[in-house]
Amino acid sequence: MSPRRRTILFTLLAIAVLVTAFISGAWTESRTQLLSVDVPANARADFDLMAEAWNLIQKDYVDRSAVQPQPMTYGAISGMVASLGDTGHSVFLSPEMVKEEQDLTQGHFEGVGLEVQVKNGQIVIVAPIDGSPAKKAGLKPGEIITGVDGQDIKGLTLGQVVQKIMGPAGTSVTLTIEDPRTGQTNDVKLQRATIEIQNVTWHMLPGTRVVHLRIAAFSKGVTQDLQQALQDIQGQDYDGLILDLRSNPGGLLDEAVGVSSEFLSSGYVLKVRNAQGEITPIAVLPGGTATEVKMVALINGGTASAAEIVSGALQSAQRAVLIGETTFGTGTVLNQFPLSDGSALMLATEEWLTPDGKSIWHNGITPDVQVTLPAGASPLVPEEEAGMTASQLAATDDAQLLQAIQSLTGAPGS
């Protein structure tokens, strides 16, 4: 496996999302040599058919302003990828999406800060990114985007929806959001912004000897940030650690391996299965700094991609009890194939598994202790806990965090 293989999150980045897809899985370094444009002998009739359709549209479609070569080309490529049936994983990225994804893995981007993915034919929010306009507006994992700026997006590809949501900082976009539990919809106006991801934050929970450590995304450098945080935490008088991976859309696979290795002393982080069924294990890196710390981990439906790799590694090694909700379920290894105009195809070439051989793709990671947040509740983050008292913590509606405290201490919030 390439050391630069990455989990893609087609994060609307700009939507900032990653298009895990919004990426949706791990991906390898870009191929630097373009594929041949020679028409395969067994596909000449099909290429002729596409040309026939193209020419008919060019000649006879009544709305001449709508006949634009690039959108037609991108639509055709998106349709080819969609025909594979690998919904939400293999995707076509426009040049703008390629740039946004690159920015996200570097820890900064412009947009509204959503990771989205296609699920059951709908554009579903995987996770809002910490500190983003989407997070501040209260958008939640599992909610469905049904419209953009008053236009119904039914029938549009993921890429087409992302293009509508993307835009420069300072501009605005209105999303129509559906609550999957009630079917009710409402419009949410978001102002796009420049977002700097703070990968790792932590705080000693008030009234406890428990550290709440959150990893927001697996951008470049998160392992180093975690190592620094763990060094700082070692200077505290504490008894346990809560690793918070909720609404973490993922990011770079190398960083997932590095983060897992800080908590594991041996074994594997994941296994990769190729199209021939061959399985390659990815070992834990030596030198972890928190391999003996008592810990639990928090997950939810917005925990995706690289965050699922870490969750699965900790669970398989029985290193941490997982508390919360089943994760999103991304799990293909994607190869990026650049195209001549700066766009790219992200094609699934491998699948990753937990160290004990379980497939994450479409299944997710199931928590050891199932805890669902009350309707309307949002997870606490370390920045919000700095000004809280022990009684305020005990009264929070973040039931998952309270359960984690109880698991470590026997006394929730105190």
Side-chain angles (χ1 to χ4, degrees):
M1 173 189 280
S2 162
R4 288 180 287 179
R5 182 170 290 154
R6 298 177 282 179
T7 44
I8 196 175
L9 298 152
F10 201 11
T11 248
L12 258 195
L13 290 178
I15 240 197
V17 262
L18 272 167
V19 200
T20 71
F22 340 15
I23 284 167
S24 249
W27 59 303
T28 66
E29 59 186 303
S30 302
R31 296 289 183 90
T32 57
Q33 184 174 0
L34 298 179
L35 300 177
S36 170
V37 295
D38 293 338
V39 177
N42 64 349
R44 287 172 183 167
D46 297 303
F47 273 71
D48 289 344
L49 183 63
M50 287 190 287
E52 181 182 353
W54 178 288
N55 290 334
L56 282 171
I57 293 171
Q58 287 276 18
K59 178 176 179 291
D60 293 326
Y61 186 64
V62 66
D63 184 359
R64 306 311 299 164
S65 63
V67 182
Q68 301 293 330
Q70 187 184 76
M72 289 171 61
T73 301
Y74 285 3
I77 298 172
S78 295
M80 283 192 287
V81 176
S83 73
L84 302 174
D86 190 21
T87 304
H89 297 263
S90 295
V91 294
F92 169 71
L93 303 181
S94 70
E96 294 80 10
M97 295 175 194
V98 172
K99 180 181 183 302
E100 291 292 345
E101 188 280 328
Q102 292 170 343
D103 287 345
L104 183 63
T105 59
Q106 295 298 317
H108 58 84
F109 51 84
E110 290 185 351
V112 301
L114 283 175
E115 180 200 345
V116 299
Q117 191 176 78
V118 176
K119 199 167 189 178
N120 299 323
Q122 298 174 307
I123 305 298
V124 177
I125 295 174
V126 177
I129 295 172
D130 285 9
S132 68
K135 181 78 169 183
K136 294 174 183 176
L139 297 184
K140 294 179 173 59
E143 292 182 323
I144 301 164
I145 300 175
T146 62
V148 179
D149 287 332
Q151 296 183 351
D152 191 342
I153 61 171
K154 185 177 181 180
L156 298 184
T157 66
L158 182 61
Q160 290 171 327
V161 175
V162 173
Q163 289 279 44
K164 289 179 176 294
I165 300 176
M166 289 170 58
T171 60
S172 63
V173 62
T174 299
L175 304 182
T176 302
I177 304 297
E178 178 182 323
D179 185 331
R181 297 168 299 182
T182 65
Q184 295 182 337
T185 63
N186 67 295
D187 289 337
V188 180
K189 185 175 182 179
L190 302 172
Q191 185 168 10
R192 303 179 181 100
T194 299
I195 303 167
E196 296 288 339
I197 301 176
Q198 190 172 3
N199 287 317
V200 180
T201 55
W202 66 275
H203 188 73
M204 184 77 74
L205 290 166
T208 76
R209 291 160 55 91
V210 173
V211 170
H212 181 195
L213 186 150
R214 171 159 175 74
I215 300 179
F218 285 84
S219 303
K220 184 177 181 180
V222 67
T223 301
Q224 185 176 355
D225 293 342
L226 174 62
Q227 290 169 342
Q228 182 60 59
L230 290 173
Q231 289 179 18
D232 295 340
I233 291 170
Q234 286 175 355
Q236 306 293 313
D237 183 17
Y238 76 107
D239 294 330
L241 183 147
I242 299 170
L243 177 63
D244 193 342
L245 298 173
R246 293 176 294 179
S247 299
N248 181 320
L252 303 177
L253 178 57
D254 287 354
E255 299 292 354
V257 173
V259 166
S260 299
S261 299
E262 290 302 307
F263 301 105
L264 299 172
S265 56
S266 62
Y268 299 114
V269 175
L270 76 157
K271 296 179 179 179
V272 179
R273 179 166 58 198
N274 65 19
Q276 290 71 47
E278 299 168 337
I279 295 178
T280 302
I282 307 301
V284 170
L285 302 175
T289 59
T291 60
E292 301 296 329
V293 174
K294 185 179 180 182
M295 64 182 294
V296 299
L298 296 177
I299 59 175
N300 67 2
T303 304
S305 192
E308 291 177 290
I309 290 176
V310 176
S311 302
L314 295 175
Q315 186 180 58
S316 295
Q318 298 183 341
R319 178 67 183 87
V321 172
L322 302 188
I323 297 172
E325 301 161 273
T326 300
T327 62
F328 194 82
T330 58
T332 53
V333 178
L334 302 178
N335 264 308
Q336 185 190 53
F337 295 86
L339 302 177
S340 58
D341 70 340
S343 60
L345 290 180
M346 305 299 299
L347 296 180
T349 59
E350 295 174 299
E351 178 184 0
W352 41 260
L353 314 171
T354 63
D356 53 2
K358 296 177 182 177
S359 175
I360 299 173
W361 194 14
H362 302 309
N363 299 317
I365 301 293
T366 302
D368 300 300
V369 181
Q370 181 82 28
V371 180
T372 302
L373 290 184
S378 297
L380 279 177
V381 295
E383 295 94 326
E384 298 171 341
E385 296 155 1
M388 295 180 67
T389 64
S391 59
Q392 288 173 329
L393 175 63
T396 181
D397 55 8
D398 188 347
Q400 294 163 344
L401 182 64
L402 294 180
Q403 180 62 53
I405 297 172
Q406 185 174 34
S407 296
L408 288 172
T409 69
S414 62

